[in-house]
Amino acid sequence: MTLVVCPLRYLDQVVAERRPSHLITLLAPHEMIGRHPDLAPERHLRIGVDDIAFPQDGLVVPDGTAVERILDFGAGWDAAAPMVVHCFAGISRSTATAFVLACARDPAADEAAIAQAMRRASPHAFPNRRIVALADDILGRGGRMLEAVEAMGGNNFVPEGAPFDLPVGR
C-alpha cells in the first residue's frame, strides 16, 4: 500500500505514471483545481485550505471538518492502487495528510516510525502541524502524532518538494 506525495506541478505526471485509484488535493480556495479527468469524481477529494497552522484574516485554516473528510475518504481506499496526495508545494499540507492517513490506517503503528519513514523518503517534508494536531485528537493518539512530526526537524525551507512514496501498513 502506497501513498504518493507530490506538488501540484508534478500532479499530472504522477497520475499518469502511478495510476492511482484515489487523489486528495489540498489547495488554497483561490488556487483550487477542478476534478482530475483520470479519476471518477468520488475518488478525488478536494479540500480548500491555506497552508497555515493558526487562524489568519482572509485565509482558511484547516479545521476538524477538513480532517474528518480526509479520514473518511482514506477509509474508503482499498489500497489496491496508490493514493496520490498533493498540495501546492508538496511540503506541508500533503505530507501532513499522508502522515495522518498512514497513522489512521494502522492504529497500532508507532507514530515516530511513520514520521521517520517519511523523513527518510523526503528531506523536504514539513507536515502542517495543525492538520496533524487535529487528527491526533480525532484519532485519540494522545499527542504522539504531533510529537513525531516535531521530532522530524526542519526541511531547509525548500520552495518545492519532489514526489515521494510513503508505504503504509495494513
Side-chain angles (χ1 to χ4, degrees), residues 20-78:
S21 63
H22 290 69
L23 170 63
I24 298 178
T25 295
L26 300 117
L27 293 171
H30 70 277
E31 297 171 329
M32 186 55 66
I33 62 172
R35 299 264 180 222
H36 198 282
D38 292 348
L39 289 140
E42 67 274 9
R43 292 181 178 246
H44 184 183
L45 176 65
R46 298 178 313 142
I47 305 276
V49 292
D50 287 285
D51 187 18
I52 55 175
F54 302 99
Q56 295 179 31
D57 288 341
L59 300 177
V60 179
V61 66
D63 63 12
T65 300
V67 174
E68 289 282 2
R69 289 179 63 206
I70 290 165
L71 291 168
D72 289 346
F73 187 76
W77 174 48
D78 68 7

Side-chain angles (χ1 to χ4, degrees), residues 51 89 91 119 123-126 129 153-161:
D51 187 18
I91 293 173
R119 174 53 74 225
H124 60 265
F126 192 75
R129 294 336 194 229
N155 71 342
N156 298 320
F157 301 103
V158 298
E160 181 181 72

Side-chain angles (χ1 to χ4, degrees), residues 66-131:
V67 174
E68 289 282 2
R69 289 179 63 206
I70 290 165
L71 291 168
D72 289 346
F73 187 76
W77 174 48
D78 68 7
M83 178 188 295
V84 172
V85 182
H86 82 94
C87 60
F88 188 80
I91 293 173
S92 182
R93 290 167 287 187
S94 57
T95 60
T97 298
F99 177 74
V100 164
L101 291 170
C103 288
R105 190 60 121 182
D106 187 356
D110 177 33
E111 300 86 355
I114 294 170
Q116 289 309 308
M118 179 175 284
R119 174 53 74 225
R120 285 189 302 276
S122 171
H124 60 265
F126 192 75
N128 178 288
R129 294 336 194 229
R130 182 169 180 98
I131 292 171

